[in-house]
Amino acid sequence: SSTTSTTAPPATCTTTRPSLPTTTTTTAPPPLAIGNPAAARLLLADKEWELDLIEGPSMRFVEGRYLLVYSAADWSRETYPQAYAWCLTPTGPCSKPTDGRSIRSDDVIAGPGGGELFDTPDGELLLAHHAYTRGNVGYPNSRYLFIAPLEIDDGTVRVPE
């Protein structure tokens, strides 16, 4: 008896970067169903301080709308911030304030990002995020987990002092 072996051709992947509009507010596509391969573009990296990169999103329903937190810029630098935008629905439209950086480097932490929103049992809104310690930024230094309370005042999101 003989057996025939077939080998699948190697997979190829082509990545293209489309040109993006320069607006901070997007128009929402029709609602998405679970499993729908369509994706909603919620934000563009259009702020100078974002350095053409936004990543690590987390969304939570807060005060009648959706709070979207994200990281921006170069993760290996002190200038990497945790930022936010407000969205009307999970698929947009979303808008960013002029300077939506809610957590920045300070005397203790540097390059905060990768945030996840959550509530305590008594309803306090918190953000778990990672950051370097001041003076120990970039590879091969480690980032550590921090928990920060968030304050929302008239749509502005910040860590209380």
Side-chain angles (χ1 to χ4, degrees):
S1 123
S2 67
T3 58
T4 305
S5 173
T6 59
T7 305
T12 59
C13 178
T14 304
T15 303
T16 59
R17 184 173 183 171
S19 58
L20 302 174
T22 58
T23 180
T24 58
T25 303
T26 60
T27 302
L32 302 178
I34 301 289
N36 186 335
R41 179 179 291 164
L42 298 179
L43 298 178
L44 302 173
D46 57 359
K47 303 293 184 188
E48 185 176 329
W49 53 267
E50 292 171 331
L51 301 179
D52 295 325
L53 176 72
I54 54 177
E55 62 184 2
S58 178
M59 185 181 280
R60 183 115 183 137
F61 191 72
V62 178
E63 298 184 359
R65 54 190 172 161
Y66 292 87
L67 173 59
L68 174 64
V69 295
Y70 65 95
S71 303
D74 183 348
W75 64 269
S76 66
R77 297 188 177 190
E78 284 187 14
T79 54
Y80 187 68
Q82 186 69 60
Y84 72 95
W86 287 103
C87 306
L88 293 179
T89 73
T91 57
C94 301
S95 61
K96 298 186 282 187
T98 302
D99 187 351
R101 293 174 279 190
S102 55
I103 304 179
R104 302 182 197 194
S105 296
D106 61 24
D107 293 340
V108 177
I109 64 169
E116 284 291 329
L117 297 163
F118 68 99
D119 294 319
T120 64
D122 59 348
E124 182 182 15
L125 180 62
L126 300 176
L127 180 76
H129 67 91
H130 57 66
Y132 294 104
T133 55
R134 176 60 80 184
N136 301 296
V137 177
Y139 181 83
N141 296 298
S142 294
R143 293 186 283 187
Y144 300 95
L145 175 63
F146 293 89
I147 305 290
L150 291 180
E151 220 173 57
I152 300 172
D153 182 24
D154 197 27
T156 299
V157 179
R158 65 182 187 83
V159 174
E161 296 188 24

